[in-house]
Amino acid sequence: MKVLVTDPISEAGLDVLRDAGHEVVTNYEAEGDDLLAAVADANALIVRSGTEVTREVLEAADDLVIVGRAGIGVDNIDIDAATDEGVIVANAPEGNVRAAAEHTVAMTFATARSIPQAHIRLSGGEWAKGEFLGTELNGKTLGVVGLGRVGQEVAKKLDSLGMDLVAYDPYISEERAEQLGAELADLDVVLERADVLTIHTPLTPETEGLIGEAELAEMEGGYLVNCARGGIVDETALAEAVEDGILEGAALDVFGEEPLPADSPLLDVDDVVVTPHLGASTEAAQENVATSTAEQVVAAFRGEPVLNALNAPSVDESAFPRVEPYIHLAETAGKIAVQLLDSRLESVEVTYEGDIAEEDVELVTASALKGVFRPLEWQVNAVNAPRIAEERGIGVSETKRRQAEDFQSLVTVTVSDGDESIGVCGTLFAGDDARIVRIDGYRVDAIPGGKMMITRNTDEPGVIGHIGSVMGNHGVNIAGMFNARETIGGEALTVYNVDQEVPDAAREELEADDRVIETKYISLNG
């Protein structure tokens, strides 16, 4: 597989890819048409913040499996477009957490004690001891906007210095906040109470411009620290608030435009500390995010779960061995079920019974949808299958039952046109031996794979022999056969594994016989 790397990452990450047998191509100057050409035959793209992964880029890469972001922020990647194209987007949120948190703490001390300003004065020959009166953090209130990984790490470090914690994060439970020693509150309350406000949210439409002139006015006498993403704080309003004495100071490592323009108002205010996006700039952090991203690329190539996928179903690494065999089983059941349905697809239900119902099955359900949609010739994989269902108005439901009749675990994929439905049920024998055990209510014991023909016929002597003769006359070899019936002399269903495609002429000849009710040719390979 070819991996294109368009922003510099640690050599340790590149070594992970090479050791796994993949071709690594670095092109740190690619942009515009050059980037489109470079990505055209790539199977993976690894970037940092310098490469804009737009819809145009993703549409130019027909073979792309995954985009890996060697870091946390993904606002330079069009995730919606990636999902439409069936491309996984994954980041490395853990690798630079400690580095970003430590830089935030350092910036907090820097602004509260005017450390850079004092250094500049002293290095310029001035002993300005009496001009800098700092603020002790002990006993002060830290306001945290965003209690994610970095926010939690900062909260822990500054809590240990004796700060009181108040936090705004609508996506975290009160229980978790309490564990961190933080009180959850609305944003206006946090702004009013915080002596130091530190920001740790991604840049999204919801958070863009979150802290503007009105919010800064509520922080009178405090400090603001932003080492998260640029664009969350109105930089002009911040510069004015510090210049006018509304805030005591501010420290920023990220900006709406990077590099920071020379005419930025932030550069004209003495009590604003700025650094050039250094939050993740430690040797350990760069190696960690590079190897983490590379490992996720390798996992995607192997068909294994991508642990930090942002737009694809995933599963905990420890649980993956338990659900992995069911991924292919569910996809196969979906392929069979939809090819048995004669009419327009309206809904899909995936039912889990027994032990498998205790697991996280999001990835299995996505694979079932992939199987359902693939025979319809839609460009689909586990990444975009849920979105395809939503866009086409196909209802998707998931049911779990702890008890499974006769089997340790069962996965059933049922497709429906709103009136009629077809269910295909599978299980595993001896750990990973996949079997189809029910089709439309008939109990069978069929080995799924390759080419299959499923017939409904009357249960009477000579029918199966007739079917075999017709198949042989048309050059179709039967590799296996699994028969089921409702009652003696009633209707029967038979699954044939065949070595060749069953021609239409053979099916027409079979269905011309009154004893053969219906035939369906099923392909699981294309």
Side-chain angles (χ1 to χ4, degrees):
M1 294 285 202
K2 178 180 176 179
V3 182
L4 175 66
V5 185
T6 56
D7 293 316
I9 67 170
S10 169
E11 194 69 22
L14 304 181
D15 288 342
V16 169
L17 296 165
R18 296 186 184 111
D19 291 345
H22 302 298
E23 177 190 3
V24 176
V25 176
T26 58
N27 187 341
Y28 303 147
E29 306 299 326
E31 59 181 26
D33 291 340
D34 290 340
L35 177 58
L36 298 181
V39 80
D41 62 345
N43 304 108
L45 173 64
I46 293 180
V47 302
R48 294 183 65 193
S49 59
T51 301
E52 292 292 326
V53 186
T54 63
R55 182 175 291 274
E56 186 180 14
V57 170
L58 292 158
E59 289 177 347
D62 291 339
D63 300 322
L64 201 62
V65 175
I66 182 172
V67 175
R69 166 62 163 99
I72 297 179
V74 290
D75 42 286
N76 58 316
I77 301 172
D78 190 332
I79 296 179
D80 284 339
T83 303
D84 290 341
E85 297 298 317
V87 176
I88 299 169
V89 177
N91 63 353
E94 300 287 354
N96 58 13
V97 167
R98 183 174 290 107
E102 289 184 359
H103 193 70
T104 301
V105 173
M107 293 287 271
T108 302
F109 276 111
T111 185
R113 299 302 297 269
S114 302
I115 294 172
Q117 297 92 327
H119 168 78
I120 291 171
R121 298 282 290 276
L122 184 56
S123 62
E126 291 186 69
W127 186 264
K129 178 178 173 63
E131 297 186 29
F132 296 104
L133 187 64
T135 297
E136 292 185 13
L137 299 181
N138 179 55
K140 299 299 190 295
T141 297
L142 175 70
V144 183
V145 178
L147 270 178
R149 294 177 177 89
V150 178
Q152 291 184 22
E153 191 70 19
V154 170
K156 292 175 186 175
K157 293 180 184 302
L158 292 179
D159 178 54
S160 67
L161 296 177
M163 297 193 78
D164 297 323
L165 306 181
V166 59
Y168 169 71
D169 190 327
Y171 305 107
I172 194 171
S173 68
E174 289 190 9
E175 179 182 2
R176 178 55 181 152
E178 289 175 2
Q179 291 173 353
L180 296 166
E183 175 189 347
L184 285 182
D186 292 337
L187 180 59
D188 57 346
V189 174
V190 173
L191 294 171
E192 182 180 355
R193 291 175 53 185
D195 297 301
V196 177
L197 185 80
T198 180
I199 298 168
H200 302 287
T201 70
L203 179 63
T204 67
E206 184 181 13
T207 63
E208 186 172 9
L210 182 67
I211 307 297
E213 182 179 357
E215 289 75 22
L216 293 168
E218 296 185 51
M219 294 177 57
E220 186 171 358
Y223 298 87
L224 182 143
V225 179
N226 183 17
C227 297
R229 306 299 291 178
I232 298 171
V233 178
D234 183 329
E235 294 170 10
T236 300
L238 177 63
E240 292 176 355
V242 177
E243 180 73 20
D244 295 343
I246 296 172
L247 295 185
E248 290 293 320
L252 294 91
D253 184 50
V254 291
F255 310 93
E257 182 182 348
E258 295 183 2
L260 185 65
D263 60 354
S264 169
L266 295 170
L267 299 176
D268 296 328
V269 183
D270 288 340
D271 290 323
V272 174
V273 178
V274 291
T275 54
H277 206 146
L278 300 179
S281 295
T282 69
E283 184 175 347
Q286 291 306 301
E287 183 170 319
N288 289 341
V289 297
T291 56
S292 174
T293 304
E295 286 166 356
Q296 292 186 87
V297 168
V298 172
F301 287 163
R302 291 174 177 169
E304 297 173 357
V306 177
L307 299 183
N308 294 314
L310 301 175
N311 65 334
S314 60
V315 63
D316 185 83
E317 187 174 14
S318 63
F320 181 66
R322 298 193 297 273
V323 302
E324 180 183 17
Y326 293 95
I327 294 173
H328 181 67
L329 176 65
E331 180 180 344
T332 300
K335 285 182 180 179
I336 296 172
V338 78
Q339 291 181 76
L340 291 174
L341 187 70
D342 277 327
S343 50
R344 182 181 179 85
L345 180 65
E346 295 285 345
S347 66
V348 180
E349 179 181 15
V350 187
T351 303
Y352 300 93
E353 301 173 76
D355 291 352
I356 185 62
E358 304 291 332
E359 302 292 346
D360 178 358
V361 292
E362 182 184 15
L363 182 57
V364 183
T365 297
S367 297
L369 293 177
K370 173 185 173 184
V372 169
F373 297 152
R374 182 62 63 82
L376 303 178
E377 298 185 353
W378 299 348
Q379 295 299 313
V380 61
N381 59 21
V383 175
N384 60 12
R387 174 168 292 190
I388 287 176
E390 180 180 357
E391 290 175 347
R392 295 179 180 259
I394 296 170
V396 178
S397 60
E398 186 181 286
T399 303
K400 289 185 174 183
R401 303 188 187 103
R402 294 191 176 185
Q403 299 299 321
E405 182 182 353
D406 299 331
F407 298 97
Q408 188 170 347
S409 290
L410 289 171
V411 176
T412 304
V413 180
T414 303
V415 295
S416 174
D417 63 3
D419 296 318
E420 303 292 332
S421 62
I422 297 287
V424 176
C425 180
T427 191
L428 300 173
F429 291 164
D432 59 0
D433 183 11
R435 298 294 178 90
I436 300 300
V437 293
R438 289 196 195 105
I439 296 178
D440 199 23
Y442 289 91
R443 300 194 62 156
V444 297
D445 182 11
I447 300 173
K451 304 173 179 65
M452 305 167 69
M453 188 176 76
I454 298 175
T455 66
R456 297 177 188 267
N457 53 268
T458 57
D459 180 39
E460 57 182 281
V463 179
I464 291 178
H466 170 66
I467 293 172
S469 295
V470 172
M471 300 271 274
N473 292 339
H474 286 270
V476 179
N477 186 58
I478 297 174
M481 184 188 76
F482 310 91
N483 182 254
R485 62 186 181 185
E486 291 178 331
T487 59
I488 297 175
E491 186 175 309
L493 181 144
T494 308
V495 180
Y496 298 90
N497 290 106
V498 294
D499 292 332
Q500 292 82 26
E501 180 177 346
V502 180
D504 291 342
R507 294 181 54 220
E508 291 170 1
E509 183 177 344
L510 288 170
E511 291 179 359
D513 190 301
D514 292 340
R515 299 170 298 176
V516 179
I517 301 166
E518 181 184 47
T519 67
K520 290 283 188 180
Y521 172 68
I522 305 293
S523 173
L524 298 179
N525 294 333

